[in-house]
């Protein structure tokens, strides 16, 4: 698939835009929590320096124009070129695959070429233990759990003041990769499969180089199985090569980390909060270090609503709470075991830092007012703040224009107003008469040409159309007999002939009449017909004259021919008589 993105800024973009499918609907911009969408010539591109890879734009794009980078080819190459390829599959896999499929997924992965099949929940157990340890250490500051990479991306880019609050612990994916490298050897290649787009970026962080060799989504896994023609129904039941602690399988749910860490399980502790969805996360973390902020010890945030079971790379038709039940049932029914991993806090320590976004910061009020003026917002009351452009307010959009992220033309109400003005001007200056009637055939609007044709003024507005002309054709529209009528009518009392186009506007419950004055055309046609008839008559008269002349000439010619014959005969007789009178008795030749 060809994806037409603007310059990539040297980054391997994970979310790109298919230009052929992108339409300027601004849907992705409206739903993007950090406004990382850049508009270029009416098309929306993801700015990788601002994007937190939550995947909301991918899920919400109605045209499916947002495309996730496909790493299936990379995974196939890894398996072909390595002796030992291991897979770390996220515990949310049970939300994607049905009960009977869950028992066969390991066999399917082995058919793809994996030598070791393991659950990421092992890494989740490690992270939970370290989080509990950090909480018990009572460092005097609230802890924000760092298991969700989209949340980490948000804090590192947009709220750097909260970086010290992030638990200095790697995510379950990274923890599990470290565990597998320790168990299988450094030569092992590890591919993670899960519901998250942000994991692709997390695996490429420089500090994690060599741990995760590729990241696939569940959608990519299903696509890969189709490519290799592996049908789960034809696979045998088999189990994982490693088993996590059973409680760690709750990790993809809200409160899963807290439950795995055995910190609090009733969900009502005032100082321990489990939260999902961007708005709730934002509300929970932004007042952590303020005097009025709630006294919180731990916040467990999962960016996706209801947790990882609702990740952007999960395409299933089951209800969200059915998926939740699947995870709970799997965790309760499956046998787990105590992790044998050595939990050394230094080995699983993370280092988070501020990713600065390069942009124009010193924006003046004068600059904002200039941009607002371009869309007709000269006064505060002109700022509708409708959000149609994707920004929460007209000022936010103006700032985005100055930063190069938005375009002036994105103001839909303003562009509509301009379009209506242009339409009004076209109607008013049209040489054709235009009249608009309401559902009772009362005149509600008419242009100058119509007034001139039917010799009326604004006084007739509000009156029935029958006041001016025969309403029968409009009545056909009103009764539903027809939705459009095209006809030629002669109005003797106005001395005009019109070609009429009448149609219904059902949404507005109005009727429109367009009257094209063809009176001169009719007169021209009559004159042409008169000329034609006169020409034909004259041609006939000329033909008759020519026939008569020919007849007369023929008669004269006949008479002259007869007289000529008589004269020639007489001359011949005289000649013969002279020849007979020769002196020597011979004929005299004259």
């Amino acid at each position: 698939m060809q994806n037409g993105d603007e310059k990539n800024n040297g980054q391997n973009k994970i979310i790109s835009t298919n230009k052929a499918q992108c339409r300027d609907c601004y849907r992705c911009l409206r739903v993007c929590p950090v406004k990382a969408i850049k508009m270029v010539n009416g098309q929306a591109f993801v700015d990788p320096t601002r994007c937190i890879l939550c995947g909301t734009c991918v899920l919400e794009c109605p045209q499916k124009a947002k495309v996730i980078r496909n790493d299936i080819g990379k995974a196939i190459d890894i398996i072909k070129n390595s002796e030992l390829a291991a897979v770390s599959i996220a515990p949310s896999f049970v939300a994607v695959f049905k009960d009977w499929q869950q028992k066969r997924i390991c066999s399917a992965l082995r058919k793809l070429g994996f030598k070791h099949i393991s659950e990421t929940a092992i890494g989740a157990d490690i992270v939970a233990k370290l989080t509990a340890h950090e909480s018990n250490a009572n460092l005097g500051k609230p802890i924000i759990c760092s298991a969700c990479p989209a949340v980490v991306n948000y804090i590192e880019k947009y709220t750097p003041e909260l970086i010290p609050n992030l638990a200095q612990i790697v995510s379950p994916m990274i923890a599990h990769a470290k565990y597998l490298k320790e168990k299988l050897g450094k030569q092992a290649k590890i591919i993670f499969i899960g519901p998250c787009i942000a994991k692709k970026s997390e695996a490429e962080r420089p500090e994690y180089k060599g741990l995760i060799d590729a990241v696939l989504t569940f959608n990519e896994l299903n696509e890969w199985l189709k490519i290799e023609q592996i049908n789960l129904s034809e696979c045998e039941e088999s189990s994982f090569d490693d088993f996590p602690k059973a409680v760690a399988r709750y990790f993809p749910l809200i409160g899963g980390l807290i439950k795995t860490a055995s910190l609090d399980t009733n969900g009502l502790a005032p100082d321990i909060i489990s939260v999902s969805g961007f708005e709730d996360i934002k509300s929970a973390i932004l007042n952590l270090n303020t005097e009025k902020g709630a006294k919180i010890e731990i916040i467990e945030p999962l960016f996706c609503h209801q947790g990882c079971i609702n990740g952007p790379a999960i395409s299933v038709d089951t209800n969200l709470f059915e998926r939740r039940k699947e995870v709970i049932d799997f965790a309760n029914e499956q046998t787990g075991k105590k992790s044998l991993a050595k939990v050394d806090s230094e080995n699983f320590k993370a280092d988070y830092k501020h990713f600065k976004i390069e942009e124009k910061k010193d924006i003046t009020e004068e600059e904002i007012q200039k941009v607002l003026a371009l869309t007709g917002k000269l006064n505060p009351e002109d700022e509708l703040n409708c959000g149609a452009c994707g920004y929460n307010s007209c000022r936010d959009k103006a700032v985005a224009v100055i930063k190069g992220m938005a375009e002036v033309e994105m103001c839909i109400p303003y562009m509509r107003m301009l379009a209506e003005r242009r339409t009004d001007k076209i109607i008013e200056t049209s040489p054709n008469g235009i009249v608009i009637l309401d559902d009772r055939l009362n005149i509600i609007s008419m242009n100058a040409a119509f007034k001139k044709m039917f010799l009326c003024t604004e006084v007739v507005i509000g009156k029935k159309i029958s006041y001016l002309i025969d309403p029968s054709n409009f009545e056909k529209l009103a009764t539903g007999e027809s939705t459009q009528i095209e006809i030629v009518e002669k109005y003797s009392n106005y001395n005009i002939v019109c070609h009429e186009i009448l149609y219904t506007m059902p949404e507005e419950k109005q009727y429109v009449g367009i009257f094209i004055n063809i009176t001169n055309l009719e007169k021209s046609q009559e004159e042409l017909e008169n000329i034609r008839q006169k020409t034909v008559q004259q041609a006939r008269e000329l033909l008759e004259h020519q026939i008569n002349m020919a007849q007369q000439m023929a008669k004269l010619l006949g008479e002259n021919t007869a007289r000529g014959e008589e004269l020639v005969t007489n001359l011949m007789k005289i000649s013969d008589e002279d020849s007979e009178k020769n002196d020597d008795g011979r004929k005299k030749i004259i």
Side-chain angles (χ1 to χ4, degrees):
M1 179 181 292
Q2 296 295 321
N3 298 322
D5 281 279
E6 60 175 357
K7 190 176 179 181
N8 205 359
N9 297 324
Q11 297 191 24
N12 187 12
K13 292 186 72 171
I14 293 170
I15 301 176
S16 54
T17 299
N18 185 319
K19 290 179 68 175
Q21 292 178 227
C22 181
R23 300 290 182 270
D24 53 351
C25 66
Y26 311 132
R27 171 90 174 207
C28 57
L29 181 53
R30 281 195 294 274
V31 299
C32 180
V34 293
K35 305 305 178 192
I37 304 297
K38 183 175 183 178
M39 301 301 300
V40 180
N41 297 325
Q43 291 193 309
F45 298 96
V46 177
D47 183 345
T49 64
R50 299 169 182 267
C51 180
I52 60 174
L53 292 169
C54 63
T56 306
C57 61
V58 177
L59 287 174
E60 294 290 337
C61 178
Q63 301 298 324
K64 306 301 178 187
K66 293 293 177 286
V67 184
I68 304 171
R69 189 186 72 201
N70 192 306
D71 290 322
I72 295 175
K74 183 178 181 181
I76 292 174
D77 289 341
I78 290 171
I79 288 178
K80 284 182 178 178
N81 299 319
S82 63
E83 295 182 1
L84 177 55
V87 62
S88 170
I89 187 166
S92 53
F93 82 93
V94 295
V96 179
F97 299 99
K98 298 176 182 178
D99 179 65
W100 64 271
Q101 294 174 323
Q102 296 166 11
K103 299 173 182 177
R104 291 172 166 81
I105 190 64
C106 291
S107 294
L109 289 168
R110 290 187 178 96
K111 284 188 176 183
L112 289 174
F114 290 104
K115 303 300 182 184
H116 186 87
I117 318 295
S118 186
E119 292 182 69
T120 318
I122 293 173
D125 185 34
I126 297 171
V127 170
K129 288 179 180 178
L130 292 173
T131 302
H133 175 75
E134 191 166 321
S135 173
N136 293 331
N138 192 16
L139 301 176
K141 61 181 179 182
I143 296 173
I144 302 173
C145 298
S146 55
C148 177
V151 172
V152 171
N153 289 341
Y154 174 70
I155 291 175
E156 286 186 317
K157 290 185 176 183
Y158 294 96
T159 57
E161 68 278 6
L162 294 177
I163 290 177
N165 294 95
L166 276 172
Q168 304 300 300
I169 305 166
V170 298
S171 72
M173 177 184 75
I174 300 300
H176 190 214
K178 287 176 174 284
Y179 163 82
L180 289 175
K181 289 285 187 179
E182 183 70 25
K183 180 175 182 175
L184 303 177
K186 300 294 183 183
Q187 79 284 358
K189 299 295 182 180
I190 301 170
I191 296 175
F192 173 82
I193 301 175
C196 183
I197 299 173
K199 289 293 184 185
K200 289 178 181 281
S201 173
E202 181 187 10
E204 295 170 0
R205 290 177 73 112
E207 61 266 34
Y208 301 145
K209 185 177 181 180
L211 290 176
I212 299 292
D213 297 282
V215 171
L216 299 181
T217 65
F218 286 130
N219 290 341
E220 286 174 288
L221 173 59
N222 281 324
E223 183 182 344
W224 191 6
L225 292 174
K226 286 181 180 179
I227 292 172
E228 301 295 339
Q229 297 182 339
I230 297 173
N231 193 328
L232 286 173
S233 63
E234 298 173 357
C235 296
E236 62 182 9
E237 294 185 6
S238 63
S239 60
F240 290 93
D241 295 313
D242 250 334
F243 293 92
K245 187 178 177 181
V247 71
R249 290 177 173 135
Y250 291 111
F251 222 82
L253 304 178
I254 300 173
L257 185 153
I258 300 298
K259 184 174 180 64
T260 305
S262 301
L263 292 172
D264 179 82
T265 56
N266 61 23
L268 297 177
D271 54 350
I272 299 177
I273 296 176
S274 297
V275 64
S276 70
F278 175 72
E279 291 301 328
D280 288 347
I281 290 172
K282 189 176 178 181
S283 298
I285 67 176
L286 288 185
N287 66 348
L288 276 183
N289 297 324
T290 64
E291 293 182 2
K292 296 181 179 180
K295 302 301 180 183
I296 297 172
E297 290 186 10
I298 296 178
I299 294 179
E300 177 200 7
L302 294 176
F303 198 95
C304 298
H305 177 62
Q306 290 296 321
C308 304
I309 58 171
N310 195 29
I314 291 181
S315 295
V316 290
D317 53 8
T318 54
N319 182 280
L320 181 59
F321 294 97
E322 289 178 13
R323 294 177 232 163
R324 180 177 180 274
K325 184 177 183 300
E326 288 285 346
V327 172
I328 294 172
D329 290 345
F330 185 79
N332 291 339
E333 295 170 5
Q334 296 296 315
T335 303
K337 66 178 183 180
K338 185 177 181 180
S339 174
L340 300 177
K342 297 178 181 179
V343 183
D344 180 0
S345 59
E346 287 300 317
N347 189 34
F348 297 100
K349 188 175 182 180
D351 181 23
Y352 300 112
K353 57 187 177 182
H354 180 203
F355 286 94
K356 294 182 179 180
I357 299 173
E358 298 296 331
E359 62 182 9
K360 180 177 175 61
K361 294 185 181 298
D362 300 326
I363 298 174
T364 65
E365 181 64 22
E366 183 181 0
E367 288 177 301
I368 294 173
Q369 291 302 322
K370 282 183 179 179
V371 174
L372 290 171
L374 292 175
T375 53
K377 298 173 179 62
L378 304 176
N379 301 300
E381 55 268 23
D382 297 327
E383 298 174 27
L384 300 179
N385 300 324
C386 64
C389 63
Y391 290 93
N392 294 329
S393 69
C394 297
R395 289 181 64 85
D396 287 348
K397 184 249 184 179
V399 170
V401 170
I402 297 168
K403 290 180 178 179
M405 294 295 292
E407 297 175 310
V408 174
E409 297 79 12
M410 288 167 58
C411 182
I412 295 176
Y414 178 68
M415 298 307 292
R416 179 180 179 181
M417 181 182 68
L418 289 182
E420 288 174 347
R421 284 180 180 175
R422 283 193 290 267
T423 301
D424 291 343
K425 191 170 184 64
I426 290 170
I427 291 174
E428 189 58 33
T429 59
S430 173
N432 302 319
I434 301 174
V435 64
I436 302 175
L437 312 180
D438 63 16
D439 57 345
R440 295 185 179 182
L441 304 186
N442 296 315
I443 300 171
I444 59 177
S445 180
M446 55 186 175
N447 69 348
F450 183 85
K451 297 174 189 175
K452 185 177 180 180
M453 286 181 188
F454 296 98
L455 308 176
C456 61
T457 64
E458 296 286 334
V459 175
V460 300
I461 290 180
K463 294 184 178 182
K464 299 282 186 184
I465 189 63
S466 58
Y467 182 81
L468 296 175
I469 61 175
D470 181 359
S472 57
N473 289 327
F474 280 108
E475 287 172 350
K476 291 178 182 178
L477 298 178
T479 57
E481 182 179 339
S482 180
T483 57
Q484 182 169 324
I485 298 172
E486 189 167 351
I487 195 171
V488 174
E489 291 282 1
K490 186 173 184 179
Y491 297 96
S492 302
N493 51 334
Y494 296 108
N495 196 29
I496 59 174
V497 179
C498 290
H499 176 199
E500 300 177 14
I501 302 172
L502 316 177
Y503 61 91
T504 304
M505 292 195 297
E507 293 183 0
E508 290 82 5
K509 294 182 179 181
Q510 294 175 355
Y511 307 100
V512 177
I514 302 174
F515 296 77
I516 304 166
N517 190 343
I518 60 172
T519 307
N520 292 334
L521 179 61
E522 289 285 318
K523 288 181 179 178
S524 298
Q525 289 177 341
E526 288 178 4
E527 291 174 358
L528 286 173
E529 181 62 22
N530 290 334
I531 293 171
R532 188 186 70 80
Q533 290 179 358
K534 288 180 181 179
T535 303
V536 171
Q537 181 63 32
Q538 291 174 354
R540 285 176 180 169
E541 291 176 357
L542 177 61
L543 179 61
E544 289 176 359
H545 174 72
Q546 289 176 334
I547 291 172
N548 291 333
M549 183 179 291
Q551 289 174 345
Q552 291 176 5
M553 291 177 68
K555 182 180 178 182
L556 291 172
L557 183 60
E559 292 176 352
N560 291 334
T561 301
R563 178 63 179 162
E565 288 179 352
E566 182 181 353
L567 292 172
V568 171
T569 302
N570 292 334
L571 285 171
M572 290 178 67
K573 285 180 179 180
I574 294 170
S575 176
D576 290 342
E577 291 175 356
D578 289 343
S579 298
E580 291 176 355
K581 294 178 179 181
N582 197 318
D583 293 338
D584 57 4
R586 290 179 297 179
K587 290 182 178 181
K588 185 177 180 180
I589 300 174
I590 296 176

